[in-house]
Amino acid sequence: MKKILLTFFLGLILVSGYAQKKSTANDTIRLADPTIFYEKGTYYLYGTGSPRGFLVYTSTDMRHWSGPAGRREGHALLKGDAYGNHGFWAPQIYKQNGKYYMAYTADEHIAIAESDSPLGPFTQKEQKAISGPGKQIDPFIFKDKDGKLYLYHVRLQNGNRIFVSRLKNDLSDIDESTTIECISAVEPWENTANAPWPVSEGPTVVNHNGLYYLFYSANDFRNIDYAVGYATATSPLGPWMKYTANPIISRKNTGYNGTGHGDLFTGKDGKLYYVLHTHNSNTNTGRRKTAVIGVSFSKDTPSVFTADPKTFRFLLSSPLK
């Protein structure tokens, strides 16, 4: 009986160990499809990495990261508290009226959960996915200057294609009648393997000086040429014109394969950054590494956006205390 109980408890430790394990000093954080939410001097880092939901790490200087720090076994969102059983991918945090919302992918559908804290727990009173046909992934909530909300997302329709829909003011669902396609992968750099299923994904949208910028990644994430480009428009609904010098972030200017699928954020220094992932190494995809790079809008040429390779660095955990 003792042997049976020991085996049972060892099994429990192994199952829960991923979430319970604290990072050791100078470990590279391994969250794919990352996003960083900054508020009141603290950076909150989330991404794809746990089969049980979304872990969160925190930092006050963007260099030393502690965690996992979520309130549910290290998770900001834990399986069972909101929609989804597997495939927890690509979260984004959005704040409105004192509440925090997490838009995310699970079971290849999109859901939106809420919390009173960036650390969670993010929950849903009614565990459900948003409306829409077929599979939908990679959500991004954008609020326009007129207060209207939009949900940019990817639909799996003859490839990974980026769409946008009006999002209801209470963030409960989209207005499916407003859905239109933004972009798909048709440029040579967007499908270097000539795959039958072209991929454009991971949208992030911002408005700068009256122009809308849609940042996205293209190629299959396992492709060494996975990279980041952008398109511009004068309306959040498009039409979108792709930048002629894409990609702006790739293995050619970072030195690392599989560079992409991230999010823009402004640091406490007032500068703009893009958090992203790379392959585990230049020989295998593996558990993808989380990194950050400094980016900026051109002061002289409208619609030009650049990344500074000298600022590229991986995010490391801080020493245990």
Side-chain angles (χ1 to χ4, degrees):
M1 179 60 71
K2 289 182 179 179
K3 189 172 183 180
I4 293 173
L5 288 173
L6 179 60
T7 301
F8 174 75
F9 285 116
L10 283 174
L12 286 179
I13 291 170
L14 288 172
V15 168
S16 62
Y18 189 96
Q20 296 294 333
K21 176 182 179 293
K22 297 292 184 179
S23 299
T24 56
N26 299 320
D27 277 347
T28 300
I29 295 175
R30 296 173 184 271
L31 294 177
D33 317 325
T35 185
I36 288 178
F37 177 78
Y38 174 73
E39 183 179 58
K40 297 178 181 177
T42 299
Y43 299 90
Y44 300 87
L45 168 67
Y46 314 76
T48 303
S50 168
R52 303 175 61 221
F54 296 103
L55 300 169
V56 56
Y57 292 79
T58 63
S59 175
T60 57
D61 60 7
M62 212 166 60
R63 288 187 177 274
H64 304 91
W65 293 87
S66 300
R71 291 179 175 167
R72 293 280 278 148
E73 300 175 22
H75 294 74
L77 184 149
L78 185 65
K79 176 181 174 179
D81 287 343
Y83 175 85
N85 293 300
H86 63 271
F88 291 91
W89 304 336
Q92 181 221 359
I93 304 299
Y94 175 79
K95 186 179 182 182
Q96 177 170 281
N97 299 329
K99 284 278 189 180
Y100 301 87
Y101 294 86
M102 177 185 285
Y104 66 97
T105 305
D107 303 339
E108 293 187 292
H109 288 80
I110 292 170
I112 301 176
E114 66 177 70
S115 174
D116 293 324
S117 166
L119 298 176
F122 283 87
T123 63
Q124 286 181 308
K125 293 179 182 177
E126 180 184 358
Q127 296 189 10
K128 66 172 186 175
I130 66 166
S131 301
K135 296 177 178 180
Q136 303 182 114
I137 63 173
D138 296 357
F140 182 84
I141 298 170
F142 171 73
K143 185 176 183 179
D144 202 6
K145 54 185 179 293
D146 61 3
K148 292 179 180 178
L149 295 175
Y150 297 86
L151 185 74
Y152 293 86
H153 57 286
V154 173
R155 294 190 173 186
L156 279 57
Q157 299 177 358
N158 298 314
N160 286 18
R161 297 167 177 262
I162 297 176
F163 286 75
V164 63
S165 305
R166 280 290 312 278
L167 183 61
K168 294 181 180 180
N169 292 337
D170 62 0
L171 286 82
S172 62
D173 206 346
I174 61 171
D175 179 352
E176 177 61 17
S177 68
T178 66
T179 302
I180 59 174
E181 184 173 341
C182 298
I183 61 171
S184 60
V186 294
E187 303 294 332
W189 77 269
E190 297 171 334
N191 189 6
T192 62
N194 294 315
W197 188 274
V199 172
S200 56
E201 61 186 18
T204 292
V205 174
V206 296
N207 181 295
H208 180 72
N209 290 339
L211 196 63
Y212 296 86
Y213 291 73
L214 167 57
F215 298 90
Y216 65 98
S217 296
N219 289 296
D220 187 284
F221 75 92
R222 292 162 291 195
N223 188 330
I224 63 173
D225 293 321
Y226 193 65
V228 179
Y230 73 91
T232 58
T234 56
S235 162
L237 300 175
W240 297 93
M241 180 177 294
K242 294 178 180 178
Y243 180 48
T244 56
N246 279 336
I248 57 168
I249 305 174
S250 71
R251 65 188 180 95
K252 294 181 179 178
N253 61 2
T254 65
Y256 296 93
N257 290 346
T259 308
H261 199 144
D263 197 4
L264 286 171
F265 68 98
T266 301
K268 65 170 61 177
D269 57 5
K271 296 180 180 179
L272 197 61
Y273 297 89
Y274 188 82
V275 60
L276 68 161
H277 71 238
T278 74
H279 287 178
N280 179 61
S281 72
N282 280 353
T283 57
N284 71 87
T285 305
R287 286 183 59 205
R288 287 162 285 174
K289 297 179 178 180
T290 312
V292 69
I293 188 170
V295 293
S296 61
F297 294 97
S298 172
K299 295 180 180 179
D300 303 316
T301 309
S303 81
V304 173
F305 184 88
T306 57
D308 182 0
K310 297 190 298 296
T311 64
F312 180 92
R313 67 176 185 273
F314 289 106
L315 300 186
L316 305 177
S317 64
S318 59
L320 287 171
K321 296 181 181 179

